Amino acid sequence: MCGIAGVVLTTGQVGPVLYDSLKRLEYRGYDSVGEATIIDGRILVKKDKGKIDEVERELRISGLDGVVGIGHTRWATHGAPSQENAHPHIDCKGTVAVVHNGIIENFMQLKQDLEAAGHTFKSRTDTEVAAHLVEENLKQGIGLVEAVRLAAKKLTGAYALAFISTVEPDKLVCVRKESPLVIGAGTDANYLASDIPAFLPRTKEAILLDDDEMAVLTASSIRLIKVETGEEERRKSFTVEWSVETATKGGFPHFMLKEIHEQPRSVRDALRTHPIYLDLMASTLDRAKRIFLLACGTSYHACLAATYAFANLAKVEVTPVVASEFIDGYGALVDQDTVVLTVSQSGETADTLTAVRGAKDRGATILAVTNVMGSTLTRVSDVYVGQNSGPEMGVAATKTFTAQVSVLIKIAVALAQRRKTISEKELQVLENGFDRLPEWVSMTVSNQGERVRRIVERYSDSLSFCFLGRGISVATALEGRLKLLELSYLPAIAYPAGESKHGFISVVEEGYPVIFVAPDDEVYSRIVGNVMEMKARHAQVISLVGEEDGEVARLSDETITIPTGIPSSLTPIVYILPLQLFAYYLAVRKGYDPDFPRNLAKSVTVH
Ligand code: AGP
């Protein structure tokens, strides 16, 4: 997730306007920043890695002249944070500049083709291909708008792209597919941005671009065009009633709720991890004699879920370990035949980094999944992949958990394919599952939110909760418990459901709320007995079940329904959603701030 902005003025200076817009988009990314404008028929770019204010101090981006300009605040996906990888990117001759939010999936092929045609690339980003594609089209003598349209038709993936060009220096041209892009209609200026807060102090009139649409902005006109046909479209602007603060949270009262609702997109972005990286990870894992999965907190729960997938799909034994226990518990087993797959949203968690360094000292190969390119973890690991979630503002991890599980399951599937432990039919079911995941996530978040909120109302006086699951759902139960602990400060228990009779069951008395995670998977029939055990002790059973569920639903006091047909390995990505909402609504009900729970930091950089 990055933030893009653009402005075209009648008179004045774009620098201060873009700087202000980028500050308002900083929540979308903050590892590098840059702006481009056109002065005396030439494109001028100022960009560097660092937060906006750091780059401002160094380059004074707010002082940029010119009446047309684009800006970008970056959250790296392809290419580490660096001056070269910061946006805007320009073509070979400096006639086109582009900023981008999204992931261009076919950039490697396009880059090869463009290089073969004589283009020279300066960055390692996927974005730069867009500038060279437009340059290539301009060579054919067509106008800028058509050059952008034809370039967009060659791109696959997700993108919001904005261009300026010396060829038509009075225009901003932008195009959108899957990544957000909004136009701001001013009186003597027009704007574009990834999100409304960027231009809200300057205009409240906005036009949302649809997928596969482009817009051409001058200071006095806005044209919308269909990418496929080049036909013009008409759409009236609407008036934004939100304050800047509400708009920054996408209209939600808290970042956490916004981030829960962002998951259809963040899961889709996580699944976009390029097969080359997945294969590289899989081939390294395939050579290992011993594999450890290493992480803390939520990231550890993602590892726990992945452990089931590595065993069941790739038939590989992996040991998930809480990072703070790794060296004491397993250090003696680590050698050059060991691979440690580390998962950390921030890439800066002290316990995780210490364990990784300990493993490295003993000769292990380090693989990493992280949300922060350029983090310490990316520097100490041998191979890393990004989970592409964009910044997560809520201290409680939500969208980063579902993204981590998505990437890890993809790695497990890549390993299973390499080891030939998965049949064509199983693979087909999983591929189909990956395709449908964003839709299942979307349906669950939108359809179950109100139901979860009402259940929370009924149980808001409970002093404790228990979460039970079997198989891969143990990870979901543990993560649901962690969310509740973090946000509502209540003691809560999570167990493998089969283990509950070995101790936990003594806690259960009339009215005690027990939450069952019970997807319609291969362990379903065994969890029915566990539900009966709890009902026999007069527990209040709240169950998360598939839409067509019969037995567990019948035994439960409350049910939350999830779409059916989700492959078992993917269930944590959908079944965790109501539990995130449960923790959120309970915290709000208790008057706590879900974005900033007490005693917790987003990134724990102490031991
Ligand atoms: C999760 O909601 C917590 N914020 C916490 O458990 C977190 O997952 C843990 O500190 C690990 O962080 P990391 O993924 O950045 O390494």
Side-chain angles (χ1 to χ4, degrees):
M1 192 162 82
C2 302
I4 70 170
V7 56
V8 49
L9 305 166
T10 312
T11 55
Q13 242 193 325
V14 289
V17 182
L18 284 176
Y19 172 74
D20 187 44
S21 298
L22 293 177
K23 283 292 290 173
R24 291 169 198 285
L25 292 174
E26 201 168 14
Y27 74 90
R28 300 182 62 85
Y30 41 74
D31 65 43
S32 336
V33 63
E35 293 179 3
T37 186
I38 301 174
I39 298 170
D40 298 331
R42 297 179 60 184
I43 287 180
L44 176 68
V45 176
K46 286 188 176 192
K47 62 178 188 176
D48 208 347
K49 72 170 180 178
K51 292 194 170 166
I52 297 178
D53 283 341
E54 291 163 5
V55 177
E56 166 67 0
R57 274 196 295 280
E58 179 202 346
L59 299 175
R60 259 213 17 97
I61 50 176
S62 66
L64 212 61
D65 271 332
V67 291
V68 63
I70 49 178
H72 189 267
T73 179
R74 183 167 188 244
W75 186 261
T77 55
H78 293 77
S82 67
Q83 208 266 345
E84 305 77 58
N85 291 337
H87 299 214
H89 293 283
I90 53 170
D91 64 329
C92 301
K93 298 204 194 83
T95 53
V96 177
V98 63
V99 288
H100 168 217
N101 166 37
I103 298 168
I104 297 173
E105 287 170 355
N106 59 340
F107 84 99
M108 285 194 191
Q109 186 57 51
L110 291 170
K111 187 171 176 176
Q112 276 170 17
D113 297 347
L114 287 159
E115 281 176 333
H119 290 259
T120 310
F121 282 74
K122 297 171 208 74
S123 76
R124 295 172 66 87
T125 63
D126 52 338
T127 306
E128 199 182 333
V129 293
H132 294 277
L133 277 176
V134 173
E135 177 189 21
E136 191 63 24
N137 292 342
L138 287 172
K139 273 191 209 159
Q140 316 306 318
I142 54 177
L144 177 65
V145 177
E146 192 60 1
V148 170
R149 189 177 79 82
L150 296 179
K153 288 181 85 165
K154 291 199 165 162
L155 304 176
T156 61
Y159 47 82
L161 291 157
F163 299 85
I164 55 171
S165 171
T166 54
V167 174
E168 296 179 40
D170 60 331
K171 287 190 184 76
L172 275 175
V173 181
C174 59
V175 58
R176 157 184 189 182
K177 187 180 174 205
E178 290 184 28
S179 297
L181 193 51
V182 198
I183 309 300
T187 39
D188 50 3
N190 286 312
Y191 311 87
L192 65 86
S194 298
D195 203 355
I196 289 169
F199 53 70
L200 203 48
R202 292 186 163 78
T203 178
K204 289 188 177 303
E205 289 305 302
I207 301 171
L208 299 177
L209 272 198
D210 282 339
D211 277 346
D212 299 308
E213 258 184 3
M214 28 189 319
V216 182
L217 277 57
T218 66
S220 57
S221 67
I222 297 171
R223 283 197 296 143
L224 303 188
I225 295 170
K226 274 189 180 164
V227 171
E228 188 53 36
T229 58
E231 284 163 37
E232 290 220 13
E233 302 190 286
R234 294 204 173 276
R235 192 169 315 133
K236 279 196 176 159
S237 63
F238 64 95
T239 308
V240 180
E241 307 288 358
W242 291 338
S243 67
V244 171
E245 201 212 330
T246 311
T248 307
K249 292 178 186 157
F252 292 99
H254 297 98
F255 281 112
M256 183 182 173
L257 193 57
K258 173 175 180 268
E259 285 157 3
I260 290 172
H261 281 265
E262 274 171 10
Q263 289 177 101
R265 170 179 301 281
S266 55
V267 164
R268 179 175 285 136
D269 286 345
L271 294 173
R272 286 200 162 102
T273 306
H274 202 285
I276 286 185
Y277 301 117
L278 298 173
D279 288 343
L280 192 55
M281 292 252 172
S283 65
T284 312
L285 291 167
D286 200 22
R287 287 195 299 272
K289 291 226 172 85
R290 250 177 311 278
I291 302 171
F292 293 101
L293 301 190
L294 204 76
C296 301
T298 289
S299 301
Y300 171 72
H301 296 149
C303 291
L304 213 53
T307 302
Y308 286 85
F310 277 108
N312 290 309
L313 303 176
K315 314 287 185 263
V316 161
E317 183 187 342
V318 301
T319 310
V321 189
V322 164
S324 54
E325 288 298 318
F326 182 64
I327 293 300
D328 294 337
Y330 298 90
L333 303 179
V334 179
D335 58 19
Q336 62 273 28
D337 294 324
T338 304
V339 171
V340 171
L341 173 51
T342 315
V343 182
S344 172
Q345 184 282 130
S346 62
E348 299 295 349
T349 301
D351 287 330
T352 306
L353 292 174
T354 302
V356 164
R357 289 190 177 109
K360 224 175 145 79
D361 289 346
R362 289 163 175 80
T365 303
I366 311 296
L367 307 181
V369 175
T370 181
N371 192 29
V372 184
M373 296 293 148
S375 60
T376 308
L377 184 59
T378 61
R379 294 199 290 275
V380 297
S381 55
D382 297 290
V383 181
Y384 60 86
V385 291
Q387 53 183 86
N388 299 339
S389 312
E392 189 172 60
M393 308 298 276
V395 166
T398 51
K399 64 175 179 170
T400 55
F401 172 74
T402 47
Q404 286 168 344
V405 179
S406 303
V407 173
L408 289 169
I409 304 298
K410 278 237 145 184
I411 296 171
V413 172
L415 184 59
Q417 284 180 272
R418 173 170 282 273
R419 291 168 54 81
K420 303 196 186 343
T421 53
I422 185 170
S423 67
E424 266 309 309
K425 196 166 159 230
E426 285 172 304
L427 186 62
Q428 198 49 50
V429 170
L430 277 162
E431 292 295 349
N432 186 38
F434 287 132
D435 287 347
R436 296 198 58 197
L437 252 184
E439 177 197 332
W440 286 325
V441 168
S442 171
M443 282 164 70
T444 305
V445 171
S446 358
N447 299 346
Q448 295 304 321
E450 185 49 28
R451 167 132 194 83
V452 173
R453 200 188 59 73
R454 275 192 270 117
I455 294 174
V456 165
E457 293 287 312
R458 287 200 276 282
Y459 292 86
S460 61
D461 292 333
S462 299
L463 298 176
S464 174
F465 289 85
C466 176
F467 297 76
L468 299 178
R470 291 188 88 114
I472 199 166
S473 299
V474 173
T476 315
L478 283 163
E479 175 58 9
R481 189 260 313 244
L482 176 60
K483 292 290 87 95
L484 191 97
L485 287 176
E486 281 184 289
L487 300 182
S488 68
Y489 318 143
L490 287 178
I493 296 163
Y495 254 98
E499 180 71 5
S500 57
K501 59 187 171 297
H502 297 287
F504 157 70
I505 204 158
S506 67
V507 173
V508 180
E509 54 188 28
E510 183 154 6
Y512 186 92
V514 180
I515 301 177
F516 275 92
V517 184
D520 46 359
D521 60 10
E522 45 287 338
V523 298
Y524 177 82
S525 59
R526 291 202 291 284
I527 211 164
V528 175
N530 302 124
V531 178
M532 286 174 171
E533 284 159 14
M534 293 301 146
K535 276 319 291 174
R537 272 98 192 152
H538 308 292
Q540 284 288 308
V541 170
I542 304 166
S543 61
L544 274 58
V545 291
E547 268 163 1
E548 287 160 21
D549 188 278
E551 252 178 308
V552 171
R554 191 175 45 77
L555 290 165
S556 302
D557 299 283
E558 319 276 357
T559 54
I560 296 164
T561 53
I562 309 286
T564 42
I566 304 171
S568 170
S569 312
L570 306 183
T571 54
I573 301 162
V574 189
Y575 278 72
I576 192 59
L577 305 168
L579 301 184
Q580 295 172 345
L581 288 163
F582 195 92
Y584 169 80
Y585 284 122
L586 191 57
V588 171
R589 170 75 204 222
K590 287 179 176 298
Y592 303 143
D593 183 344
D595 284 341
F596 299 103
R598 71 185 186 201
N599 301 338
L600 292 174
K602 184 68 189 159
S603 174
V604 184
T605 53
V606 291
H607 291 290

